[in-house]
Amino acid sequence: MTSFDTVDDFLRKTREAKQKQRPDIESLVEETFEDPHIIAITPDLGEQILRLTEKYGDETLRQIALFALGKWFAYHTAYVEELVDTDQTREALNATVDATRVGHCITTLETVGSFSGSDEWIAMVKELAIGTVCDEYNRREDQEETDWGRSADE
């Protein structure tokens, strides 16, 4: 029983020490995150991007950037429509200007060539697309057979 109390005391003291360090760490991190140009992603996403880049080259980065910018552009344009519908003209104009900037980034990136991985990336995505379409076709075919079987039984 004594060893459990000792472990418990150790863990408590460790937590206390961490809590004492927390304000210093928060201050250090706060200064870093005050930079308006900081770029941050989750460690999991960073590792996944790194793995894909190691496997498919810099084409991975180009494709991810274009995908992200495309999504961002779509959000802006959808928001513009919402603002126009609610007669928020100034806000709609600002969002349109931002969407235009994002669109220019997309156009610029589309013209940037990759050093490596283009063919491999396209082959991988093509294979994924074929597999997804085949799976969906089989799922629908199975569903139709099930639906047809029910209709015949009923």
Side-chain angles (χ1 to χ4, degrees), residues 47-81:
E47 289 171 14
Q48 191 173 14
I49 291 170
L50 183 60
R51 280 193 306 273
L52 288 168
T53 304
E54 288 171 354
K55 186 170 184 177
Y56 297 105
D58 70 326
E59 180 65 17
T60 301
L61 302 174
R62 182 177 173 275
Q63 293 291 329
I64 290 170
L66 286 168
F67 175 82
L69 287 168
K71 289 292 186 186
W72 201 11
F73 182 82
Y75 287 139
H76 272 77
T77 55
Y79 189 54
V80 168
E81 290 178 22

Coordinates of all heavy atoms in Angstrom, one line a residue, residues 47-81:
E47 N 2.3 15.0 -40.4 CA 2.9 13.6 -40.7 C 2.3 13.0 -41.9 O 3.0 12.4 -42.7 CB 2.7 12.8 -39.4 CG 3.5 13.2 -38.3 CD 3.2 12.4 -37.0 OE1 2.5 11.4 -37.0 OE2 3.6 12.9 -35.9
Q48 N 1.0 13.1 -42.1 CA 0.4 12.5 -43.3 C 0.9 13.2 -44.5 O 1.2 12.5 -45.5 CB -1.2 12.6 -43.1 CG -1.9 11.9 -44.1 CD -3.4 11.9 -43.9 OE1 -3.9 12.7 -43.1 NE2 -4.1 11.0 -44.5
I49 N 1.0 14.5 -44.5 CA 1.5 15.2 -45.7 C 2.9 14.8 -46.0 O 3.3 14.5 -47.1 CB 1.4 16.7 -45.5 CG1 -0.1 17.1 -45.6 CG2 2.2 17.5 -46.6 CD1 -0.4 18.6 -45.2
L50 N 3.7 14.7 -44.9 CA 5.1 14.2 -45.1 C 5.2 12.8 -45.7 O 6.0 12.6 -46.6 CB 5.9 14.3 -43.7 CG 7.3 13.9 -43.7 CD1 8.1 14.9 -44.6 CD2 7.9 14.0 -42.3
R51 N 4.4 11.9 -45.2 CA 4.4 10.5 -45.7 C 4.0 10.6 -47.2 O 4.7 9.9 -48.0 CB 3.4 9.6 -45.0 CG 4.0 9.1 -43.7 CD 3.1 8.0 -43.1 NE 1.7 8.4 -42.9 CZ 1.2 9.0 -41.9 NH1 2.0 9.3 -40.9 NH2 -0.1 9.2 -41.8
L52 N 3.0 11.3 -47.6 CA 2.6 11.4 -49.0 C 3.7 12.0 -49.9 O 3.9 11.6 -51.0 CB 1.3 12.1 -49.1 CG 0.0 11.4 -48.6 CD1 -1.2 12.4 -48.5 CD2 -0.3 10.2 -49.5
T53 N 4.3 13.1 -49.3 CA 5.4 13.7 -50.1 C 6.6 12.8 -50.3 O 7.2 12.8 -51.3 CB 5.8 15.0 -49.3 OG1 4.7 15.9 -49.2 CG2 6.8 15.8 -50.1
E54 N 6.9 12.0 -49.2 CA 8.0 11.1 -49.4 C 7.7 10.0 -50.4 O 8.6 9.6 -51.2 CB 8.3 10.4 -48.0 CG 9.0 11.3 -47.1 CD 9.1 10.8 -45.7 OE1 8.5 9.7 -45.4 OE2 9.7 11.4 -44.8
K55 N 6.4 9.7 -50.5 CA 6.0 8.6 -51.5 C 5.8 9.2 -52.9 O 6.2 8.5 -53.9 CB 4.7 7.9 -51.0 CG 4.3 6.8 -51.8 CD 3.2 6.0 -51.1 CE 2.9 4.7 -51.9 NZ 1.8 3.9 -51.3
Y56 N 5.2 10.4 -53.0 CA 4.8 10.9 -54.3 C 5.5 12.2 -54.7 O 5.2 12.7 -55.8 CB 3.3 11.1 -54.3 CG 2.5 9.9 -54.1 CD1 1.9 9.6 -52.9 CD2 2.4 8.9 -55.2 CE1 1.2 8.4 -52.8 CE2 1.7 7.7 -55.0 CZ 1.1 7.5 -53.8 OH 0.4 6.3 -53.6
G57 N 6.5 12.6 -54.0 CA 7.2 13.8 -54.3 C 6.4 15.1 -54.1 O 5.4 15.1 -53.4
D58 N 6.9 16.2 -54.7 CA 6.3 17.5 -54.4 C 5.0 17.7 -55.1 O 4.3 18.7 -54.8 CB 7.3 18.6 -54.7 CG 7.6 18.8 -56.2 OD1 7.6 17.8 -56.9 OD2 7.8 20.0 -56.6
E59 N 4.6 16.8 -56.0 CA 3.3 16.9 -56.6 C 2.2 16.8 -55.5 O 1.1 17.4 -55.6 CB 3.1 15.8 -57.6 CG 1.7 15.8 -58.2 CD 1.4 17.1 -59.1 OE1 2.4 17.8 -59.5 OE2 0.2 17.3 -59.4
T60 N 2.5 16.1 -54.4 CA 1.6 16.0 -53.2 C 1.3 17.4 -52.7 O 0.1 17.7 -52.5 CB 2.3 15.2 -52.1 OG1 2.6 13.9 -52.6 CG2 1.4 15.1 -50.9
L61 N 2.3 18.2 -52.5 CA 2.1 19.6 -52.0 C 1.3 20.4 -52.9 O 0.4 21.2 -52.5 CB 3.5 20.2 -51.7 CG 4.4 19.5 -50.7 CD1 5.7 20.1 -50.6 CD2 3.7 19.3 -49.4
R62 N 1.5 20.3 -54.2 CA 0.8 21.1 -55.2 C -0.7 20.7 -55.2 O -1.6 21.5 -55.1 CB 1.4 20.8 -56.6 CG 0.7 21.6 -57.7 CD 1.4 21.3 -59.1 NE 0.7 21.9 -60.1 CZ -0.3 21.3 -60.8 NH1 -0.7 20.1 -60.5 NH2 -0.9 21.9 -61.8
Q63 N -0.9 19.4 -55.1 CA -2.3 18.9 -55.1 C -3.1 19.3 -53.9 O -4.2 19.7 -53.9 CB -2.3 17.4 -55.3 CG -1.9 16.9 -56.7 CD -2.8 17.3 -57.8 OE1 -4.0 17.4 -57.6 NE2 -2.3 17.5 -59.0
I64 N -2.4 19.2 -52.7 CA -3.0 19.5 -51.5 C -3.3 21.0 -51.4 O -4.4 21.5 -51.0 CB -2.1 19.1 -50.3 CG1 -2.1 17.6 -50.1 CG2 -2.6 19.8 -49.0 CD1 -1.1 17.0 -49.2
A65 N -2.4 21.8 -51.9 CA -2.6 23.3 -52.0 C -3.7 23.7 -52.9 O -4.6 24.5 -52.5 CB -1.3 24.0 -52.4
L66 N -3.8 23.1 -54.0 CA -4.9 23.3 -55.0 C -6.2 22.9 -54.4 O -7.2 23.6 -54.5 CB -4.7 22.7 -56.3 CG -3.6 23.4 -57.2 CD1 -3.2 22.5 -58.4 CD2 -4.1 24.7 -57.6
F67 N -6.2 21.7 -53.7 CA -7.5 21.3 -53.1 C -7.9 22.2 -52.0 O -9.1 22.6 -52.0 CB -7.2 19.9 -52.5 CG -8.4 19.4 -51.7 CD1 -9.5 18.8 -52.3 CD2 -8.4 19.5 -50.3 CE1 -10.6 18.3 -51.6 CE2 -9.5 19.0 -49.6 CZ -10.6 18.4 -50.2
A68 N -7.0 22.6 -51.1 CA -7.3 23.5 -50.0 C -7.8 24.9 -50.6 O -8.8 25.4 -50.1 CB -6.1 23.7 -49.1
L69 N -7.1 25.4 -51.5 CA -7.5 26.7 -52.1 C -8.9 26.6 -52.8 O -9.7 27.5 -52.7 CB -6.5 27.2 -53.1 CG -5.2 27.7 -52.4 CD1 -4.1 28.0 -53.5 CD2 -5.5 29.0 -51.6
G70 N -9.1 25.5 -53.5 CA -10.4 25.3 -54.1 C -11.6 25.3 -53.1 O -12.6 25.8 -53.3
K71 N -11.3 24.6 -52.0 CA -12.3 24.6 -50.9 C -12.5 26.0 -50.3 O -13.7 26.4 -50.1 CB -11.9 23.6 -49.8 CG -12.0 22.2 -50.1 CD -13.4 21.8 -50.3 CE -13.6 20.3 -50.6 NZ -14.9 19.9 -50.9
W72 N -11.4 26.7 -50.1 CA -11.5 28.0 -49.6 C -12.3 29.0 -50.5 O -13.1 29.8 -50.1 CB -10.1 28.5 -49.4 CG -9.9 29.7 -48.4 CD1 -10.9 30.2 -47.5 CD2 -8.8 30.4 -48.2 NE1 -10.4 31.2 -46.8 CE2 -9.0 31.4 -47.2 CE3 -7.5 30.4 -48.7 CZ2 -8.1 32.3 -46.7 CZ3 -6.6 31.3 -48.3 CH2 -6.9 32.2 -47.3
F73 N -12.0 28.8 -51.8 CA -12.7 29.6 -52.9 C -14.2 29.3 -52.8 O -15.0 30.2 -52.9 CB -12.1 29.3 -54.2 CG -12.7 30.1 -55.4 CD1 -12.3 31.4 -55.6 CD2 -13.7 29.5 -56.1 CE1 -12.9 32.1 -56.6 CE2 -14.3 30.3 -57.2 CZ -13.9 31.6 -57.4
A74 N -14.5 28.0 -52.7 CA -15.9 27.6 -52.7 C -16.6 28.2 -51.4 O -17.8 28.6 -51.5 CB -16.1 26.1 -52.7
Y75 N -16.0 28.2 -50.3 CA -16.5 28.8 -49.1 C -16.8 30.3 -49.3 O -17.9 30.8 -48.9 CB -15.6 28.6 -47.9 CG -15.6 27.2 -47.3 CD1 -14.4 26.6 -46.9 CD2 -16.8 26.4 -47.2 CE1 -14.4 25.3 -46.4 CE2 -16.8 25.1 -46.7 CZ -15.6 24.6 -46.3 OH -15.5 23.3 -45.9
H76 N -15.8 31.0 -49.9 CA -16.0 32.4 -50.1 C -17.2 32.7 -51.0 O -18.0 33.6 -50.8 CB -14.7 33.0 -50.7 CG -13.8 33.5 -49.6 ND1 -12.9 32.6 -49.0 CD2 -13.5 34.7 -49.2 CE1 -12.2 33.3 -48.1 NE2 -12.5 34.6 -48.2
T77 N -17.2 31.9 -52.1 CA -18.3 32.2 -53.1 C -19.7 31.9 -52.5 O -20.7 32.6 -52.8 CB -18.1 31.5 -54.4 OG1 -17.9 30.1 -54.2 CG2 -16.8 32.0 -55.1
A78 N -19.8 30.8 -51.7 CA -21.0 30.5 -51.1 C -21.4 31.6 -50.1 O -22.6 31.9 -50.0 CB -21.0 29.1 -50.4
Y79 N -20.5 32.1 -49.4 CA -20.7 33.1 -48.4 C -21.2 34.4 -49.1 O -22.0 35.1 -48.7 CB -19.5 33.4 -47.6 CG -19.7 34.3 -46.4 CD1 -20.7 34.1 -45.5 CD2 -18.9 35.4 -46.2 CE1 -20.9 34.9 -44.4 CE2 -19.0 36.2 -45.1 CZ -20.0 36.0 -44.2 OH -20.2 36.8 -43.2
V80 N -20.6 34.7 -50.3 CA -21.0 35.9 -51.1 C -22.4 35.8 -51.4 O -23.2 36.7 -51.3 CB -20.1 36.0 -52.3 CG1 -20.7 37.1 -53.3 CG2 -18.7 36.4 -52.0
E81 N -22.9 34.6 -51.9 CA -24.3 34.4 -52.2 C -25.2 34.6 -51.0 O -26.2 35.3 -51.1 CB -24.5 33.0 -52.8 CG -23.9 32.8 -54.1 CD -24.1 31.3 -54.6 OE1 -25.0 30.7 -54.2 OE2 -23.3 30.9 -55.5

